[in-house]
């Protein structure tokens, strides 16, 4: 990944205004040696342990002095001019705390990519979806999202955040390990009355699934469990119990769907996710802040109903 995608970062970054770091998450290969030899101008942070996406970034960013952090996965290819519109948005909008670019599929460059597409939202029950991607349906990029707009969450695959906000909110929740920790951080950012944006005039390409393939039950486990974590931590007080109960039932139906599709390992992953959620429930409850939670946190009542029952597969059809 470093050999393939680091060159685009180097080529399309202005070294007068940008410092590039490689955060090595306790790798056991020759990644560090490769970077030192091929890119001596790049700074390297070597984490002692592999704490996943969340702890990995939390540990590495302690060594980075910058106003803006651009967190870029190792399977991202950036393009010419990718930084300029992002920096301009931060400079012109003091309340904007987090920004995501347009994320297209590296393997099929006219399609949006699963992890973030053109900016993310969640429904009433915490299920995430994106402009350009709903569940497994990916839209073709026809410049329909060449815009700037406020979103609910930005993808961790290419995630810009003001360092002051990251530090104020104590970064990613390390109990997540990986998957959906960016949604939690974005929700906490919203709860602190700051704005999250999508800037579609900057484009990157994402391989996706480089760490965990979509068919991997571990991904299912982390997504289902961590989504429940975010609900407990961030839901408005009056919605906490009814939404959590409804979500547990909906997850049960998702498990039955996996069984009918002859995917017993994914069914087991949901069960495992729920048991892990129960074990961590009191811990997550203690993480709730006293500040007011975002009242209108969701874009739709149920993306599951819209997609599977009404057959609405594209973002622009959801609001009709």
């Amino acid at each position: 990944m470093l050999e393939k995608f680091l060159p685009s970062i180097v080529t399309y970054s202005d070294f007068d205004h940008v410092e590039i770091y490689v955060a090595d998450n306790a790798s056991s290969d020759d990644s560090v040696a490769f970077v030192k030899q091929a890119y001596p101008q790049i700074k390297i942070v070597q984490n002692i342990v592999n704490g996943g996406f969340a702890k990995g970034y939390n540990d590495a960013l302690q060594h980075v002095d910058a106003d803006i952090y651009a967190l870029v996965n190792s399977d991202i290819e950036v393009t010419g001019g990718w930084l300029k519109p992002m920096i301009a948005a931060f400079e012109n909008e003091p309340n904007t705390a987090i920004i995501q670019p347009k994320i297209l599929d590296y393997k099929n460059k006219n399609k949006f990519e699963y992890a973030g597409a053109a900016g993310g939202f969640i429904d009433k029950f915490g299920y995430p979806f994106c402009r350009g991607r709903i569940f497994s349906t990916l839209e073709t990029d026809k410049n329909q999202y060449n815009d700037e707009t406020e979103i609910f969450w930005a993808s961790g695959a290419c995630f810009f955040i003001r360092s002051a906000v990251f530090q104020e909110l104590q970064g990613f929740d390390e109990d997540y390990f990986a998957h959906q920790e960016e949604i939690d951080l974005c929700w906490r950012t919203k709860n602190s009355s700051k704005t999250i944006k999508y800037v579609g005039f900057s484009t990157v390409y994402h391989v996706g699934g480089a760490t965990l393939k979509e068919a991997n039950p571990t991904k299912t486990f982390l997504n289902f469990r961590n989504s429940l974590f975010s609900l407990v931590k961030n839901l408005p007080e009056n919605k906490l119990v009814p939404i959590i109960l409804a979500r547990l039932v909906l997850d049960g139906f998702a498990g039955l769907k996996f069984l009918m599709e002859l995917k017993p390992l994914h069914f087991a992953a949901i069960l495992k996710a729920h048991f892990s959620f129960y074990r961590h429930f009191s811990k997550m409850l203690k993480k709730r802040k006293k500040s007011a939670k975002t009242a209108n946190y969701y874009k739709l009542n149920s993306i599951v109903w819209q997609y599977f029952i009404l057959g609405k597969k594209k973002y622009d059809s959801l609001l009709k």
Side-chain angles (χ1 to χ4, degrees), residues 95 117 120 125 162 169 186 239 255 259-260 266 268 272 319:
N95 200 53
F125 303 103
R162 294 187 189 274
L169 298 176
C186 286
K239 296 180 182 291
L259 276 182
M260 289 188 290
H266 290 272
K272 181 183 176 184
L319 306 179

Side-chain angles (χ1 to χ4, degrees), residues 295-310:
N296 297 319
Y297 64 92
Y298 57 92
K299 190 81 169 178
L300 294 170
N301 281 331
S302 174
I303 190 63
V304 174
W305 179 266
Q306 294 283 329
Y307 185 87
F308 291 103
I309 306 302
L310 300 183

